[in-house]
Amino acid sequence: MNFFSLPVRPPGAIVITGAGSGIGAALARCYAQPGQLFLLLGRRQTPLEQVAVELRQAGAEVELAAVDVRDAEALQRIAADFAKRRGPVALLVANAGVSIGSSAELVEDCAVFAEVITTNLLGMHYSINAFLPYLPARAQVVGIGSVAGFRGLPGAAAYAASKAAVAVYLESLRLDLRARQIGVTCIAPGLIATPMTADNPYPMPWLMPVARAARQMQRGIDRGRRFLVLPWQMRWLSLLLRILPSGVYERLWPRHLASKPRRVD
């Protein structure tokens, strides 16, 4: 065995959730090439169609479906129908997620907590569970987490908790899928220039253009990385933050600090 060779995925489709914008759309563009089959999933039809046009111009075959990843039954139907008609899935990218500011003190934010946790964690599980029967040996599952999952963040309890859970979920999944020889990659981006970060009211150090971030993610995915943090500055900062004692970590945050905006209906 050549331990220096890159893993080779089997032939098959690439399935991406949250593919209508941001990281999902950027990763789809990275993988677009003549003959590559895609299934793009997202909540809104129009953005998916716009991404599909770009991929088809690169010679790819594209199918799409508007679906909310919180709808487990719909995902099961889509996966079964797609696999029956188009064959196996070689790469599944569970990218769909939401980021909404929240306050544990406000009863009206209970619905926000439920939405964030359900979308980011259960939605990832529902997506992976639906397509797993159609992944052959040497296929790959990729889940998009966040550096926000390393430590608690002010004003983002729901989001940080959901991403912490995602990292542990994907690690457990990796152990479960070893017998099937299916790889699992967890990607923890820092601040990436996407619609999700566009309304952040605080400084965003090392903000990374989404196209450059997607290219780095693609390299990590293709090398079979188990865990990837980017950009590199955030990788080292996250390691430092994880080992800081809680008392020291808490003193890093001012008592009154701008945080992720809450949803105002």
Side-chain angles (χ1 to χ4, degrees):
M1 178 184 295
N2 182 359
F3 291 97
F4 297 99
S5 62
L6 298 181
V8 179
R9 281 191 301 269
I14 295 176
V15 178
I16 304 176
T17 69
S21 64
I23 290 172
L27 273 174
R29 296 183 188 105
C30 286
Y31 280 103
Q33 61 179 339
Q36 177 61 59
L37 174 61
F38 287 88
L39 173 60
L40 306 181
L41 303 178
R43 286 182 299 175
R44 296 175 296 153
Q45 182 84 9
T46 299
L48 291 174
E49 291 174 345
Q50 293 170 344
V51 175
V53 168
E54 296 182 56
L55 304 189
R56 288 171 182 142
Q57 289 174 344
E61 296 182 62
V62 186
E63 294 195 15
L64 53 90
V67 63
D68 190 319
V69 293
R70 295 174 293 178
D71 190 338
E73 292 183 0
L75 286 166
Q76 293 284 343
R77 290 194 300 269
I78 290 169
D81 174 70
F82 181 78
K84 181 179 180 179
R85 293 182 297 101
R86 306 306 300 262
V89 173
L91 175 61
L92 169 62
V93 181
N95 162 74
V98 294
S99 175
I100 309 168
S102 57
S103 171
E105 299 178 88
L106 301 174
V107 67
E108 56 266 36
D109 276 7
C110 287
V112 171
F113 268 74
E115 178 182 350
V116 172
I117 298 294
T118 304
T119 303
N120 293 356
L121 178 58
L122 292 183
M124 177 175 289
H125 171 65
Y126 294 157
S127 303
I128 292 171
N129 179 261
F131 285 94
L132 264 184
Y134 315 110
L135 269 66
R138 295 183 291 108
Q140 193 170 5
V141 174
V142 177
I144 306 299
S146 171
V147 297
F150 295 159
R151 298 295 299 253
L153 296 174
Y159 183 71
S162 73
K163 292 303 186 178
V166 159
V168 176
Y169 167 79
L170 292 170
E171 188 169 46
S172 297
L173 185 69
R174 185 180 305 116
L175 296 173
D176 291 342
L177 296 182
R178 284 183 301 177
R180 289 180 56 185
Q181 300 179 56
I182 295 174
V184 177
T185 297
C186 177
I187 298 177
L191 292 162
I192 310 298
T194 69
M196 189 176 286
T197 59
D199 60 350
N200 287 347
Y202 44 78
M204 293 187 283
W206 311 309
L207 182 68
M208 197 173 192
V210 68
R212 180 154 60 91
R215 288 193 296 270
Q216 291 189 19
M217 292 178 190
Q218 181 189 23
R219 287 195 293 272
I221 293 168
D222 292 346
R223 291 171 180 168
R225 293 278 298 273
R226 290 172 173 80
F227 196 76
L228 175 65
V229 181
L230 68 151
W232 67 266
Q233 297 97 328
M234 195 63 74
R235 186 180 313 136
W236 293 108
L237 178 60
S238 64
L239 288 173
L240 174 62
L241 292 178
R242 292 177 78 174
I243 64 174
L244 280 180
S246 294
V248 176
Y249 178 72
E250 289 168 12
R251 285 196 290 272
L252 295 177
W253 298 99
R255 290 186 181 273
H256 300 287
L257 181 72
S259 59
K260 187 77 176 178
R262 294 175 53 252
R263 176 181 293 161
V264 179
D265 294 326

